[in-house]
Amino acid sequence: MQNIIRNIQAIQVESSVDKIILQLKQLITSGQLKPGDRLPAERQLAEKLGVGRSYVREAILKLEFYGLLRTSPQSGTYVSGLSIKVLDNLISDIIKFNKDDFSALIEARYYVELDAVRLAAERRTKQDVIELRAALEDYELKIEQNLNAVEEDMLFHIKIAQATKNSVIESMMAILIPDLIKNIIENNICGKDRSKMAITEHRAILKAIEENDIDAAENAMAAHLDEVLQVARTAFAANQIVNK
C-alpha cells in the first residue's frame, strides 16, 4: 500500500502565471526570443495573452528574480544573456518550484516574513504606513461584506515587503505570497473563519510597524502565521512517515 501511495502523482493545475512563463519559455527555446532581446510591453503581452496585467507583472517578477529577465526603467525588459539551454532548464525549475512542496513554501514564507516585518518596523516611512492602513481597510471591507479578499490579503503582505526597502525581499515575497495565500484560502486550509480572525492579527502587525516596535512586529507576524505553519509541519511529518 505504501508503494502505491508513494507512486501516486499529485494533479498539477497550471496557474495563469505559469502559463505565461511557459509561453515565454517556448518563445525563447524556439529562438523567437533570443538572449538580449526586448520583451513587448506589459500591456501588449496582457492583451495578446488575454490575461490581466497583474499576471504578466507577476510572471516577469519571478523571471527577474531568477536572473532570466532584466528590466531597465528607461528601455524595458530584456532576456538575460544566459544560453538558451540554461534558460530552458531554469524556467522548468521555476515552474516545478511553484508546485512541488507546499509545506516547504509555507515554511520559507514564515521565516522570510519574520525578517521582512522586522525590517519594515525599522525602516517604514509615513507613506508606507498610509499604504498599509489603506490595504488593511480594503481587506476588512471585503471580509465584512463576505467577499473574497485574497487580493487584499496579498497586498497587505506585499506592502510590508515594500516597507523593508530591500528589493530582494520584495521580490521573494512577490514569488511566495500569491500562490500560497490563494491556496490557503481557496482550499480552506485554516478553517472558514480564518479571514475574520486575520483582521485582528493584521491590526496588531500594523500597530507594531507604526510604532517602530521591531520585536512586537515579529511576534505579531509569528502569531498570524503560526496556524498555517503548524498545518505545513503536520503535512511534512505525515509525508515523512509515508515515505519511510
Side-chain angles (χ1 to χ4, degrees):
M1 178 63 72
Q2 287 185 353
N3 287 334
I4 294 173
I5 292 173
R6 190 178 299 118
N7 290 325
I8 292 175
Q9 299 292 319
I11 297 172
Q12 302 294 344
V13 180
E14 290 181 355
S15 68
S16 295
V17 172
D18 285 344
K19 290 178 180 178
I20 294 167
I21 291 174
L22 279 172
Q23 288 224 31
L24 292 175
K25 173 186 175 181
Q26 289 165 1
L27 290 172
I28 291 170
T29 55
S30 69
Q32 296 177 68
L33 270 178
K34 299 179 177 64
D37 283 353
R38 186 173 69 177
L39 265 63
E42 276 184 16
R43 177 183 55 77
Q44 291 177 300
L45 282 172
E47 289 176 357
K48 187 67 176 176
L49 293 164
V51 297
R53 288 182 65 176
S54 62
Y55 291 114
V56 174
R57 192 173 301 115
E58 185 181 337
I60 289 173
L61 272 173
K62 288 187 177 184
L63 293 172
E64 279 182 340
F65 178 76
Y66 286 94
L68 305 184
L69 298 177
R70 54 185 177 83
T71 296
S72 167
Q74 288 78 30
S75 55
T77 301
Y78 295 82
V79 179
S80 75
L82 298 171
S83 70
I84 289 177
K85 184 176 180 180
V86 171
L87 287 168
D88 184 13
N89 290 332
L90 283 174
I91 289 172
S92 296
D93 287 344
I94 291 169
I95 293 170
K96 182 181 177 183
F97 167 81
N98 287 339
K99 294 181 171 63
D100 272 1
D101 196 339
F102 186 62
S103 297
L105 287 174
I106 289 175
E107 193 171 55
R109 179 218 173 167
Y110 178 82
Y111 291 108
V112 170
E113 285 229 65
L114 291 191
D115 287 333
V117 80
R118 288 181 65 87
L119 284 175
E122 177 185 350
R123 298 175 178 177
R124 63 84 177 157
T125 63
K126 290 182 179 179
Q127 184 60 34
D128 288 324
V129 172
I130 291 170
E131 292 180 10
L132 276 165
R133 192 179 295 123
L136 181 52
E137 288 173 356
D138 288 343
Y139 175 78
E140 292 182 7
L141 182 62
K142 281 285 189 74
I143 297 303
E144 288 167 3
Q145 296 174 343
N146 291 317
L147 298 173
N148 185 306
V150 172
E151 290 186 5
E152 288 74 18
D153 195 2
M154 285 192 290
L155 184 59
F156 179 75
H157 287 272
I158 288 170
K159 289 297 180 183
I160 291 172
Q162 290 174 350
T164 68
K165 311 308 175 193
N166 184 309
S167 60
V168 175
I169 288 178
E170 188 176 341
S171 295
M172 289 173 70
M173 294 303 289
I175 291 169
L176 291 170
I177 285 180
D179 290 340
L180 283 172
I181 291 182
K182 285 179 183 176
N183 202 311
I184 289 166
I185 294 177
E186 290 172 3
N187 292 291
N188 203 26
I189 288 174
C190 294
K192 63 180 181 179
D193 295 326
R194 190 68 189 85
S195 296
K196 292 181 179 178
M197 292 170 60
I199 291 176
T200 301
E201 295 166 357
H202 282 172
R203 287 175 180 171
I205 293 167
L206 177 56
K207 183 175 184 291
I209 292 174
E210 282 183 298
E211 295 176 353
N212 295 116
D213 192 331
I214 295 171
D215 290 337
E218 181 180 10
N219 291 336
M221 183 63 77
H224 176 52
L225 299 178
D226 181 69
E227 186 175 353
V228 71
L229 178 67
Q230 296 312 315
V231 170
R233 287 180 171 171
T234 299
F236 177 80
N239 189 54
Q240 291 294 97
I241 292 171
V242 169
N243 290 328
K244 279 185 178 180

